[in-house]
Amino acid sequence: MTRLLTNHICTITELREPQKVLDRAGGKPVAVLKNSQLVAYLVPQEATEQGHRALTQEEFDAIFEATREAAQPVLDYLKDK
């Protein structure tokens, strides 16, 4: 089973009216399915303009430390792997 990277889906048939698909998605990416299999993603222009950027090492370290307590059981499990 393929994991979809978005909550919005449409079928190839629905792409006959792409504006309806985009309107329904509200500016978010849409997974396009054919026979229940993922074939593509449709990414609206507005989804690419949200100013995404990579975290700096300092930002990552701060987030990691803030969530470390919750993640510690997983880290302990992975230590021996």
Side-chain angles (χ1 to χ4, degrees):
M1 174 180 266
T2 302
R3 181 174 180 202
L4 299 179
L5 303 176
T6 182
N7 293 331
H8 304 283
I9 62 170
C10 77
T11 64
I12 292 286
T13 304
E14 290 175 300
L15 285 179
R16 291 178 182 161
E17 299 181 76
Q19 191 59 51
K20 284 186 179 180
V21 172
L22 294 173
D23 291 344
R24 192 175 66 224
K28 304 287 187 194
V30 179
V32 181
L33 305 178
K34 178 180 180 184
N35 297 327
S36 299
Q37 298 295 315
L38 177 66
V39 294
Y41 286 100
L42 176 61
V43 182
Q45 176 66 28
E46 59 192 281
T48 63
E49 295 173 346
Q50 294 177 356
H52 298 289
R53 64 175 181 82
L55 292 175
T56 64
Q57 186 63 47
E58 292 78 24
E59 291 170 326
F60 174 81
D61 291 342
I63 292 169
F64 183 76
E65 285 305 318
T67 59
R68 185 181 190 98
E69 185 176 323
Q72 195 59 51
V74 175
L75 296 172
D76 292 341
Y77 172 77
L78 293 174
K79 190 184 309 182
D80 298 331
K81 305 297 177 217

